[in-house]
């Protein structure tokens, strides 16, 4: 029930989202974030074989490093991706036609990110809801 309610809320937000956080504090957004909800209008984006479990974000200069931890076939995989900030607050571009937009955050409890990808000539957009990770999950990622 909770998962369906969260998906419905994110789905409604996905329709309304076209902006990013104004004046994002990059130092406050860094750290561990656990994915707790996903919404997309493309089914393919929701049925990926690798499920994102958590992100560790670090900021240095004008680069955002994203260390992603995935669950895939019962094992854990990690990926490091380095992107650059843009002239739009909260928007970052990454190799492979990928973008991350920070839609909303209170820095302490939640962050809503829109991930965009251009693949096979089609644009995919996924809205993801994250919460700050627990100590146990942090230890598993390090």
């Amino acid at each position: 029930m909770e998962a369906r309610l969260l998906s419905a809320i994110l789905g409604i937000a996905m329709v309304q989202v076209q902006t990013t956080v104004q004046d994002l504090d990059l130092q406050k957004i860094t750290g561990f974030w656990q994915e707790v909800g996903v919404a997309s209008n493309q089914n393919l984006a929701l049925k990926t074989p690798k499920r994102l479990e958590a992100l560790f974000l670090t900021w240095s200069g004008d680069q955002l490093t994203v260390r992603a931890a995935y669950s895939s076939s019962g094992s854990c995989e990690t990926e490091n991706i380095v992107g650059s900030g843009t002239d739009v607050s909260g928007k970052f571009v990454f190799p492979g036609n990928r973008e991350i937009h920070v839609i909303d955050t209170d820095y302490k409890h939640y962050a809503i990110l829109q991930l965009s990808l251009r693949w096979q000539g089609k644009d995919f957009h996924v809205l993801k809801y994250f919460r700050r990770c627990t100590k146990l999950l942090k230890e598993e990622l390090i």
Side-chain angles (χ1 to χ4, degrees):
M1 173 68 178
E2 289 178 10
R4 287 185 182 180
L5 179 59
L6 181 59
S7 293
I9 292 168
L10 284 174
I12 291 167
M14 180 110 184
V15 172
Q16 297 174 352
V17 167
Q18 295 300 322
T19 62
T20 58
V21 169
Q22 299 298 317
D23 301 322
L24 179 70
D25 186 332
L26 296 170
Q27 295 307 316
K28 289 182 180 179
I29 196 76
T30 61
F32 287 94
W33 294 93
Q34 179 182 22
E35 181 182 285
V36 292
V38 179
S40 179
N41 59 354
Q42 289 103 359
N43 199 29
L44 179 64
L46 299 174
K47 293 192 175 192
T48 177
K50 294 192 316 185
R51 185 186 182 292
L52 180 65
E53 296 289 336
L55 298 176
F56 180 67
L57 305 176
T58 55
W59 180 257
S60 178
D62 68 341
Q63 294 185 326
L64 178 68
T65 301
V66 177
R67 182 173 187 182
Y70 297 94
S71 175
S72 177
S73 303
S75 64
C76 181
E77 298 177 18
T78 60
E79 175 183 19
N80 287 326
I81 310 161
V82 179
S84 301
T86 67
D87 58 349
V88 177
S89 179
K91 180 179 176 183
F92 306 91
V93 293
F94 295 85
N97 297 315
R98 297 182 283 186
E99 294 181 357
I100 292 178
H101 298 243
V102 179
I103 303 302
D104 193 21
T105 184
D106 71 352
Y107 301 105
K108 293 180 183 179
H109 303 101
Y110 76 92
I112 299 174
L113 308 180
Q114 180 178 351
L115 285 67
S116 301
L117 167 69
R118 182 151 186 85
W119 183 61
Q120 294 184 346
K122 187 172 182 180
D123 291 323
F124 291 87
H125 304 285
V126 180
L127 201 60
K128 294 189 175 245
Y129 178 77
F130 292 89
R131 68 177 179 182
R132 282 288 183 185
C133 287
T134 63
K135 184 177 179 183
L136 176 62
L137 188 54
K138 288 181 195 177
E139 292 169 358
E140 292 173 3
L141 287 174
I142 296 179

